[in-house]
């Protein structure tokens, strides 16, 4: 028995730590720990609800559009307003472009260095030295594509900027719609960039992932777990949001179910938080919020010294089960890919999803109607509750908003990485990433690259992971719109 | 330096992407006679990694040319191959071998609660290595310290009220000069330009907030393509309209950055006002606390006896938008503490520019107090 600590896990959106106990060359126990806390939801309180789209984008620099979108949905829900047709399509295009950016960057910049030998220069060295299996020619080709991918990711962010003002943190995702008129010149520019990216995906990325899957085929059996997954749905098909291109659904032991909001719970037994009434290390955020609607009335407060806790992430559970989110979950529930649940399946699904979204986007461009409105003005309600559900690149994302006296009285964010990277719950059940690490073979305890490969297949993002939410309450006000 | 004939042959050579050849050319141009190639450590503290991503979006030069020919990019958790103790070891190695030479870039706020345990970057001897300790230790021995992004430069969103992590700017935890390159995120041109200046010419000229004047020397309002709409009184009444965004909450009048010229992403294709949305003042020391509500203009507050002009309205905007934030801020306004950039906005214009009459701060303060009294 030996304990390995990887701290920081790099090539992730903000570092985190993995501790793994190794016995007879395999992981027998794993803990994933997010090592930082910002308290975004506390910061959002008492502010103008319209500001939430911009402010929550700052939760994450790599999936900012997803937060902007969830915030826009939440406020639209609260205000009872729907965006115009163009507004919905434009927001889909912005989020879609950001998804392309994320997936291309994740696959090439963040994942591939675990499989491809990099050039002999910083920051590629130092690095692990073992188990790089690609033949010299393939390795070189993939390295060239690494640099090409940088250009493609940048190009995808240019697409975000065309309709979104800038990236990261696009301004044009707002409750009420979007803001840039889809004129022919901009549509043409967007289409041209999209075509370059789609060509890259088809001719390089798809090829590369298949090469990778062939050479590292054992990773179809490493990093596996039960097919327990969750998708909130992503990309509304029309402005009334009656259906989405990626459907909302819960997968339990491989069976697709409708999502039941009552089944969502959060556990904080192993997270660095206390109930508001308990002791904490300073009391910030410990104030109680009046419970006038029977909702989320309990508050939690950060407590870094809490005994038995090991992460800033709480443990969301669905029907008491640890469920994962991300491209594999989305493709599984939409029926596009049901090969298995493993490290390589997650990577494969991510690349296939990149291709699917790129192709869908070409179609969305056709739906734009030049000359028609992109934004619908609305009034911020005095008192209201709104929920915005979508998918970030790495899994289900929910924003929950309560407005009192026209201000944000309470704001909650349920992030993908909270689902994926959650710690143990009160029953001792590990989170999905922790479960996936079990039985992972580790050839060299000084270079535990196998662990890194499993962990990175989730596209971990601790930037979005830490938040504050009420413990032990089912979020029964959740409105699942699909 | 690559010769033009060779460049042409590279371009013409089948199978080699043009962008790759361009990158090689740009790379060799960049290197030129500039032999310096300083080690750069880029620490992500409490950050969303948005500045790292934005840095990767740099077009000319691209990331590949930057790390090949401008800097020796040793540490950045987003792109480096190493992890765990191997990664943390890079920091210790640089500290031992390149003290006084390396450039330390910090992205994110530095949390101070629980002795910095709200952000742990790694471990040393099995103990948590906090961002607070790393910034202090590596900051003191660096040749230059650059705070990239508004979080590192001024605190930014994570240090906004009630600042649950006790987040501070780099300058607040480090007793030495810090060059601030703010932005939420930073524009790649700002950070890569600052790095090039540091490598080639040394420290750039800085303003009173230690921002390079090269990028932060003039207000967005004065550089804005839509300035003529403002001067003509043609205002958008909601986001999405193609006119002056001032009444939709634009903070351009009190925000010092070259966004209208530089614009964002790759080919410099867009920026918030061009996209029919307000500037939210993301490079300002007060962002977001004093530039919120982002869409609030509050035109109903009148300042009797004051003739309106552009600079004045700018100052008024910055102050009045602060009104909507909440009681903690209202108190500071009543006490007469105005947001810092508003004070700059009220300062006399630079020589060479038209000198405009400024708004007396007290008039603003009085009218705000009056407004608050009515409200309660």
């Amino acid at each position: 028995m030996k304990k390995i600590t990887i701290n920081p896990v790099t090539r992730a959106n903000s570092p985190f730590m993995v501790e793994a106990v190794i016995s007879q060359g395999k992981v027998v126990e794993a803990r994933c720990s997010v090592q930082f806390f910002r308290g975004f939801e506390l910061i959002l309180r008492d502010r103008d609800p319209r500001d939430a789209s911009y402010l929550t984008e700052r939760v994450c620099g790599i999936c900012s559009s997803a937060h902007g979108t969830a915030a826009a949905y939440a406020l639209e829900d609260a205000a009872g307003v729907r965006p115009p047709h163009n507004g919905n399509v434009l927001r889909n295009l912005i989020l879609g472009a950001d998804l392309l950016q994320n997936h291309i960057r994740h696959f090439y910049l963040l994942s591939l260095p675990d499989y491809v030998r990099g050039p002999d220069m910083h920051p590629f060295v130092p690095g692990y030295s073992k188990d790089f299996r690609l033949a010299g020619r393939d390795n070189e080709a993939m390295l060239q594509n690494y640099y090409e991918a940088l250009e493609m990711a940048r190009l995808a962010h240019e697409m975000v900027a065309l309709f979104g003002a800038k990236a990261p943190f696009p301004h044009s995702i707002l409750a009420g719609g979007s803001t840039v008129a889809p004129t022919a010149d901009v549509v043409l520019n967007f289409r041209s960039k999209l075509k370059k990216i789609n060509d890259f995906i088809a001719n390089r990325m798809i090829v590369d992932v298949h090469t990778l899957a062939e050479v590292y085929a054992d990773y179809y059996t490493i990093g596996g777990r039960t097919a327990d997954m969750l998708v909130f749905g992503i990309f509304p098909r029309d402005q009334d949001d009656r259906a989405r291109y990626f459907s909302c659904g819960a997968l339990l032991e491989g069976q697709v179910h409708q999502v039941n909001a009552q089944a969502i719970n959060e556990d904080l037994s192993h997270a660095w938080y206390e109930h508001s009434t308990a002791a904490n290390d300073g009391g910030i955020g410990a104030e109680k919020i009046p419970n006038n609607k029977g909702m989320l009335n309990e508050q939690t407060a950060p407590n870094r010294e809490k005994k038995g806790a090991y992460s800033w992430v709480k443990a969301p559970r669905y029907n008491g089960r640890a469920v994962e989110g991300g491209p594999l979950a989305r493709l599984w529930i939409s029926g596009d890919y049901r090969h298995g649940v493993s490290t390589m399946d997650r990577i494969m699904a991510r690349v296939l999803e990149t291709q699917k979204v790129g192709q869908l986007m070409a179609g969305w461009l056709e739906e734009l109607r030049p000359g028609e409105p992109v934004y619908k003005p609305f009034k911020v309600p005095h008192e209201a509750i709104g929920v915005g559900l979508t998918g970030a690149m790495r899994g289900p994302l929910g924003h929950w908003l309560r407005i009192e006296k026209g201000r944000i009285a309470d704001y909650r964010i349920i992030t993908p990485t909270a689902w994926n990277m959650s710690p143990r719950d009160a029953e001792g059940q590990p989170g999905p990433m922790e479960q996936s690490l079990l039985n992972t073979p580790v050839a060299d305890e000084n270079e535990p690259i196998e662990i890194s490969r499993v962990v990175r297949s989730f596209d971990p993002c601790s930037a979005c992971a830490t938040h504050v939410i009420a413990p032990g309450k089912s979020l029964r006000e959740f409105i699942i719109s699909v | 330096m690559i010769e033009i004939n060779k460049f042409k042959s590279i371009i013409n050579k089948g199978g080699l992407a043009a962008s790759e050849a361009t990158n090689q050319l740009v790379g060799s141009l960049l290197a030129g006679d500039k032999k310096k190639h300083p080690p750069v450590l880029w620490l992500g503290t409490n950050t969303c990694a948005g500045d790292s991503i934005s840095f990767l979006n740099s077009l000319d030069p691209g990331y590949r040319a930057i790390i090949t020919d401008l800097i020796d990019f040793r540490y950045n958790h987003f792109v480096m191959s190493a992890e765990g103790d191997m990664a943390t070891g890079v920091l210790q190695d640089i500290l031992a071998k390149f003290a006084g030479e390396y450039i330390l870039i910090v992205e994110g706020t530095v949390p101070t609660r629980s002795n910095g345990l709200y952000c742990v970057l790694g471990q040393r001897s099995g103990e948590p290595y906090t961002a607070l300790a790393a910034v202090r230790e590596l900051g003191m021995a660096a040749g230059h310290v650059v705070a990239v992004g508004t979080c590192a430069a001024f605190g930014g969103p994570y240090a906004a009220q009630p600042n649950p992590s006790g987040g501070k700017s780099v300058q607040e935890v480090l007793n030495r000069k810090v060059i601030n390159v703010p932005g939420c995120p930073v524009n790649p041109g700002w950070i890569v330009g600052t790095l090039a200046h540091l490598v080639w010419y040394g420290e750039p000229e800085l303003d009173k907030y230690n921002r390079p004047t090269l990028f932060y020397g003039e207000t967005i309002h004065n550089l804005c393509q839509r300035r003529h709409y403002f001067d003509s009184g043609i205002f958008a009444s909601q986001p999405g309209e193609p006119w002056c965004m001032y009444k939709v909450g634009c903070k351009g009048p009190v925000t010092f950055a070259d966004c209208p010229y530089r614009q964002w992403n790759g080919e410099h294709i867009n920026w918030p006002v061009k996209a029919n949305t307000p500037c939210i003042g993301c490079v300002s020391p007060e962002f977001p606390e004093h530039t919120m509500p982002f869409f609030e203009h509050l035109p109903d507050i009148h300042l009797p006896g004051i003739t309106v002009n552009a600079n004045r309205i700018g100052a008024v905007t910055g102050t009045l938008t602060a009104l909507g934030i909440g009681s903690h801020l209202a108190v500071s306004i009543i006490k007469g503490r105005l947001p810092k950039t508003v004070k700059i906005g009220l300062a006399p214009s630079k020589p060479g520019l038209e000198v405009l009459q400024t708004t007396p701060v007290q008039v603003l303060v009085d009218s705000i107090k009056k407004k608050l009294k009515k409200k309660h």
Side-chain angles (χ1 to χ4, degrees), chain A residues 3-317:
Chain A
K3 194 168 93 173
I4 298 177
T5 304
I6 308 176
N7 184 15
V9 175
T10 54
R11 278 176 286 118
N13 214 15
S14 296
F16 62 102
M17 174 169 79
V18 173
E19 289 177 322
V21 179
I22 313 289
S23 176
Q24 297 178 332
K26 284 191 170 182
V27 175
V28 293
E29 195 188 321
R31 283 169 196 262
C32 297
S33 164
V34 168
Q35 294 281 305
F36 81 133
F37 172 80
R38 298 167 304 182
F40 229 95
E41 288 130 321
L42 300 171
I43 293 165
L44 280 154
R45 269 185 214 155
D46 200 29
R47 302 189 189 265
D48 188 325
R50 292 172 298 172
D51 289 355
S53 270
Y54 289 173
L55 202 58
T56 60
E57 284 183 352
R58 270 73 188 177
V59 167
C60 180
I62 198 162
C63 67
S64 51
S65 315
H67 285 280
T69 303
Y73 292 174
L75 181 52
E76 280 171 359
D77 182 42
V81 67
R82 301 306 313 167
H85 167 84
N86 276 343
N88 178 58
V89 178
L90 286 167
R91 291 194 305 210
N92 282 351
L93 284 166
I94 296 168
L95 178 57
D98 215 5
L99 182 140
L100 298 183
Q101 171 270 143
N102 180 91
H103 284 3
I104 292 170
R105 259 194 253 262
H106 183 78
F107 179 68
Y108 282 101
L109 268 71
L110 309 187
S111 289
L112 274 200
D114 288 338
Y115 304 91
V116 176
R117 199 180 290 277
D120 187 21
M121 63 177 288
H122 311 294
F124 300 99
V125 289
Y128 294 145
S129 60
K130 292 177 185 154
D131 198 30
F132 290 104
R133 306 180 203 164
L134 287 165
R137 197 166 40 90
D138 284 341
N139 195 86
E140 188 53 34
M142 248 185 251
L143 200 55
Q144 284 306 318
N145 290 345
Y146 173 97
Y147 289 119
E148 193 67 21
L150 279 160
E151 304 289 313
M152 291 301 136
R154 177 177 56 65
L155 211 56
H157 256 172
E158 287 183 18
M159 287 159 62
V160 172
L162 272 174
F163 285 130
K166 69 183 182 41
F169 315 143
H171 269 216
S172 307
I173 299 173
L174 290 176
S178 198
T179 62
V180 174
T183 51
D185 57 331
V186 183
V187 173
L188 184 70
N189 193 333
F190 194 97
R191 181 190 300 278
S192 166
K193 293 180 199 310
L194 179 61
K195 183 170 187 318
K196 284 181 199 163
I197 293 173
N198 278 345
D199 287 350
F200 174 82
I201 296 166
N203 300 325
R204 312 283 188 90
M205 203 171 170
I206 295 283
V207 176
D208 285 344
V209 78
H210 280 109
T211 306
L212 199 72
E214 209 169 289
V215 176
Y216 292 91
D218 46 337
Y219 279 86
Y220 278 119
T221 58
I222 296 170
R225 60 186 293 276
T226 326
D228 287 342
M229 305 187 204
L230 184 68
V231 176
F232 279 164
I234 181 170
F235 302 125
R237 287 177 181 267
D238 60 45
Q239 68 268 38
D240 295 325
D241 199 6
R242 285 186 290 258
R244 297 187 176 186
Y245 285 97
F246 289 85
S247 318
C248 181
L251 189 71
L252 297 178
E253 293 180 327
Q255 297 299 309
V256 181
H257 300 269
Q258 290 207 324
V259 175
N260 170 15
Q262 302 275 9
I264 298 173
N265 264 292
E266 275 211 325
D267 179 286
L268 53 83
S269 54
H270 291 79
W272 282 311
Y273 302 95
E274 301 278 9
H275 293 261
S276 59
T277 47
N280 64 73
D281 68 347
I284 291 181
E287 71 272 26
K288 279 219 169 197
I289 285 199
N291 173 21
N292 59 350
K293 287 198 171 69
M295 293 191 57
L296 297 174
N297 58 322
E298 278 188 80
Q299 290 298 296
T300 58
N303 176 10
R304 183 57 174 73
E305 324 295 336
K306 180 177 157 185
K307 293 261 186 305
Y310 63 91
S311 180
W312 282 115
V313 181
K314 297 180 185 181
R317 293 290 183 263

Side-chain angles (χ1 to χ4, degrees), chain A residues 10-11 58 179 281 407 452 456, chain B residues 77 82-83 114 158 184 275 324:
Chain A
T10 54
R11 278 176 286 118
R58 270 73 188 177
T179 62
D281 68 347
R407 316 288 296 179
S452 314
R456 283 203 192 86
Chain B
H77 74 247
E83 60 185 6
S114 292
Y158 311 150
C184 191

Side-chain angles (χ1 to χ4, degrees), chain B residues 157-181:
Chain B
Y158 311 150
Q161 290 289 340
N163 194 353
S165 60
K168 294 193 169 175
S169 69
V170 175
Q171 186 67 81
E172 286 175 288
V173 300
L174 194 57
N175 187 22
R176 66 162 287 168
K177 185 172 206 173
V178 175
I179 297 169
N180 290 323
V181 187

Side-chain angles (χ1 to χ4, degrees), chain B residues 161 203 222 288:
Chain B
Q161 290 289 340
E203 190 180 289
N222 283 348

Side-chain angles (χ1 to χ4, degrees), chain B residues 95-137:
Chain B
L95 189 61
K97 292 182 188 157
F98 296 97
E101 289 175 46
Y102 64 87
I103 297 171
L104 176 71
I105 299 178
V106 182
E107 171 186 1
T109 52
V110 186
T112 58
R113 282 188 81 196
S114 292
N115 292 319
L117 283 173
Y118 279 48
C119 180
V120 173
L121 300 184
Q123 60 178 9
R124 284 195 303 188
S125 316
E127 293 297 312
Y129 187 33
T130 64
L132 182 63
V135 168
R136 282 184 172 153
E137 186 179 303

